[in-house]
Amino acid sequence: MSTSRVFAARLVGCSVFDPNGERVGKVRDVLVVYRSLGGPRVVGMVLEVPGKRRVFLSIGRVTSIGSGQIITTGLINLRRFEQRGGEIRVMAELLGRNVRLRDGSGEATIEDVAIEETGLGEWEVNQAFLRRPKTTAFAKGATLFIAWSDIIEKTETGESQSATQLVASYADMLPADLATAMLDLPEQRMLEVADELSDDRLADVLEEMPENEQVDILNQLDDDRAADVLDQMQPDDAADLIAHLSDERGETLLDLMEPEEAEDVRFLLSYAPDTAGGLMTTEPIIVSADATVAEGLALIRRHELAPALGAAICVTLPPYEPPTGRFLGMVHFQRMLRYPPNERLGIIVDTTLEPVHSGTSAAEVSRILASYNLVSVPVVDENHRLVGVVTIDDVLDYLLPDDWRSTSAEPAAFTNTSTASVTLRRPTTQSRPTTPGRRAPRGTRP
């Protein structure tokens, strides 16, 4: 059953279906334009379709909204969404804005807006859900539901906009998807979202962003918070990021980081970026030869461990922190499953896997991983001490072009989505270079 009024924030995450009941995608935002009279007019929705692609759905192609789902005519433009001038994304840009009440009772913040159907295929924003400023440090401000015509938007420039609601709508996203969503935001809004994220969440997102945006965000953080975020990042990613900062800022942040984390980062910065030492991470699982299969499996089960690092365990002589004692070999996760829990790992190490030297070129490391179907390869120094491991994701980041996160092919403009899946064309081998310091263009919407 279709409803004539719905809150925009409740639409986010709703599934979108074609007339045959096949799922097309899910809603990520609502797009509006301002008018001289009346509330903003809804022009469409931003959908996420298979392949994590953001596309535009015209509101005129929506036939029903209700019961947590949206029904369309089945015809959807699959070109990557690009925001036009004058268009406002409700979740990304409108929520969190400060407004004044026409009755003179003060200011409030927009937490949600209600859109209402005014005619066939026509919707507009007619009411807003607001929250007044806090009256005490421990309680939220009062809320009110008010007609859009009874509020006046503030126009002060440079004023920070709350991103609480937007961050809440991103809660279900994986770090890579959240990074993509943030790159689609206006620069100031992206920085506001970054400021709202927790340190560990922001660290995960930065690891998935291009270097220019990483630097832009980190430069907007004060030194103490920037150091806290770097502490939460993988040492190799933190080292790559610090390498793109000025020497003075980089050294300041290293001094503020936790000593153990800073030591790992300094260690990685001593290697050339196109070598095994420059690609490796210094946090693999390292155990003694006397450790048992049961102990090894317990270490792999840690939820914070990256899958690539959990694919194998390194066995060395003491000490067990890089640089370790002499490297003895690796034990693959699959191999451990074939032995009883009390079997010693020193007995079942893979003696056929040769480690690479820290100075080995990145191209050679890539060849080794591909030739032997490996997920990771150990890295040793001239004394055959383990200094880290290079994982497949590190190599992919090195091999892919700088703008790989924004490279995508444009399918046909309109596709009938009445089939079970939306087919997207594979990316071409050529990609348009991006201008340093700017986010890549997101295509066009006819």
Side-chain angles (χ1 to χ4, degrees), residues 73-132:
T73 60
L75 197 62
I76 291 191
N77 184 346
L78 288 183
R79 288 184 179 173
R80 184 172 292 276
F81 166 73
E82 179 181 327
Q83 190 171 352
R84 291 173 173 173
E87 294 176 340
I88 301 293
R89 282 175 284 176
V90 172
M91 295 301 301
E93 300 174 77
L94 187 57
L95 302 194
R97 287 188 179 181
N98 291 327
V99 297
R100 295 195 302 270
L101 304 182
R102 288 189 183 276
D103 62 8
S105 60
E107 299 181 354
T109 301
I110 301 176
E111 289 205 344
D112 205 349
V113 295
I115 62 174
E116 184 174 18
E117 189 174 20
T118 57
L120 185 60
E122 296 182 357
W123 293 73
E124 69 174 33
V125 175
N126 67 341
Q127 292 180 309
F129 180 72
L130 309 178
R131 186 176 296 277
R132 293 186 182 274

Side-chain angles (χ1 to χ4, degrees), residues 21-179:
E22 301 290 352
R23 187 174 183 273
V24 175
K26 57 184 176 181
V27 178
R28 279 303 179 191
D29 216 326
V30 177
L31 210 61
V32 301
V33 293
Y34 281 86
R35 299 181 294 180
S36 57
L37 297 175
R41 178 174 63 87
V42 179
V43 295
M45 301 177 183
V46 181
L47 304 188
E48 181 181 292
V49 297
K52 303 298 183 181
R53 179 186 291 273
R54 300 295 177 92
V55 302
F56 173 75
L57 172 64
S58 172
I59 194 65
R61 299 190 183 279
V62 175
T63 60
S64 175
I65 298 178
S67 302
Q69 62 184 21
I70 296 170
I71 309 299
T72 72
T73 60
L75 197 62
I76 291 191
N77 184 346
L78 288 183
R79 288 184 179 173
R80 184 172 292 276
F81 166 73
E82 179 181 327
Q83 190 171 352
R84 291 173 173 173
E87 294 176 340
I88 301 293
R89 282 175 284 176
V90 172
M91 295 301 301
E93 300 174 77
L94 187 57
L95 302 194
R97 287 188 179 181
N98 291 327
V99 297
R100 295 195 302 270
L101 304 182
R102 288 189 183 276
D103 62 8
S105 60
E107 299 181 354
T109 301
I110 301 176
E111 289 205 344
D112 205 349
V113 295
I115 62 174
E116 184 174 18
E117 189 174 20
T118 57
L120 185 60
E122 296 182 357
W123 293 73
E124 69 174 33
V125 175
N126 67 341
Q127 292 180 309
F129 180 72
L130 309 178
R131 186 176 296 277
R132 293 186 182 274
K134 293 181 178 180
T135 55
T136 67
F138 304 101
K140 291 184 177 180
T143 60
L144 64 156
F145 193 52
I146 193 170
W148 185 265
S149 58
D150 291 334
I151 64 176
I152 303 173
E153 288 197 69
K154 297 174 64 176
T155 58
E156 287 87 342
T157 58
E159 183 178 1
S160 179
Q161 180 181 346
S162 172
T164 303
Q165 292 293 101
L166 180 57
V167 170
S169 72
Y170 289 160
D172 64 330
M173 287 186 176
L174 295 174
D177 298 331
L178 178 53

Side-chain angles (χ1 to χ4, degrees), residues 125-410:
V125 175
N126 67 341
Q127 292 180 309
F129 180 72
L130 309 178
R131 186 176 296 277
R132 293 186 182 274
K134 293 181 178 180
T135 55
T136 67
F138 304 101
K140 291 184 177 180
T143 60
L144 64 156
F145 193 52
I146 193 170
W148 185 265
S149 58
D150 291 334
I151 64 176
I152 303 173
E153 288 197 69
K154 297 174 64 176
T155 58
E156 287 87 342
T157 58
E159 183 178 1
S160 179
Q161 180 181 346
S162 172
T164 303
Q165 292 293 101
L166 180 57
V167 170
S169 72
Y170 289 160
D172 64 330
M173 287 186 176
L174 295 174
D177 298 331
L178 178 53
T180 300
M182 289 177 62
L183 292 175
D184 284 341
L185 297 174
E187 183 176 356
Q188 181 59 35
R189 191 59 167 154
M190 179 181 69
L191 297 176
E192 290 166 351
V193 171
D195 189 60
E196 192 74 28
L197 296 173
S198 63
D199 292 344
D200 57 339
R201 181 72 159 157
L202 180 56
D204 291 339
V205 170
L206 287 178
E207 291 175 356
E208 305 296 338
M209 281 188 169
E211 294 161 353
N212 289 332
E213 278 70 21
Q214 287 182 332
V215 173
D216 288 345
I217 290 176
L218 206 70
N219 282 337
Q220 294 298 316
L221 305 179
D222 62 67
D223 289 346
D224 287 334
R225 194 186 177 208
D228 290 340
V229 171
L230 289 169
D231 280 333
Q232 298 295 327
M233 296 178 69
Q234 293 293 325
D236 53 329
D237 292 306
D240 291 340
L241 178 49
I242 288 179
H244 287 85
L245 302 176
S246 65
D247 292 341
E248 182 180 357
R249 181 92 196 282
E251 192 60 37
T252 298
L253 295 181
L254 284 169
D255 289 340
L256 291 173
M257 290 175 64
E258 293 293 332
E260 185 177 348
E261 300 294 337
E263 183 181 358
D264 288 341
V265 173
R266 291 182 190 277
F267 180 62
L268 290 170
L269 286 171
S270 66
Y271 294 100
D274 58 348
T275 64
L279 294 177
M280 70 183 180
T281 179
T282 57
E283 295 183 343
I285 299 177
I286 304 173
V287 298
S288 70
D290 291 329
T292 64
V293 168
E295 293 171 334
L297 292 175
L299 292 172
I300 288 176
R301 290 191 190 102
R302 290 181 300 168
H303 73 277
E304 71 274 11
L305 189 69
L309 291 177
I313 288 179
C314 299
V315 180
T316 73
L317 295 178
Y320 303 112
E321 293 288 337
T324 68
R326 183 174 180 80
F327 175 71
L328 301 179
M330 294 187 80
V331 182
H332 301 285
F333 166 70
Q334 197 174 35
R335 186 176 178 88
M336 285 190 286
L337 296 178
R338 303 190 189 113
Y339 287 85
N342 60 345
E343 186 68 77
R344 292 192 305 118
L345 295 180
I347 296 177
I348 60 174
V349 294
D350 183 357
T351 57
T352 64
L353 176 59
E354 291 292 331
V356 298
H357 188 268
S358 57
T360 302
S361 68
E364 177 63 15
V365 174
S366 304
R367 187 194 67 79
I368 292 173
L369 287 170
S371 297
Y372 301 107
N373 299 320
L374 299 174
V375 178
S376 62
V377 61
V379 183
V380 298
D381 62 13
E382 61 277 3
N383 296 318
H384 207 73
R385 300 179 302 174
L386 181 73
V387 291
V389 298
V390 177
T391 57
I392 188 66
D393 57 309
D394 297 322
V395 171
L396 286 174
D397 281 342
Y398 171 78
L399 292 177
L400 289 169
D402 292 339
D403 62 343
W404 68 267
R405 292 175 176 86
S406 58
T407 301
S408 61
E410 296 296 342

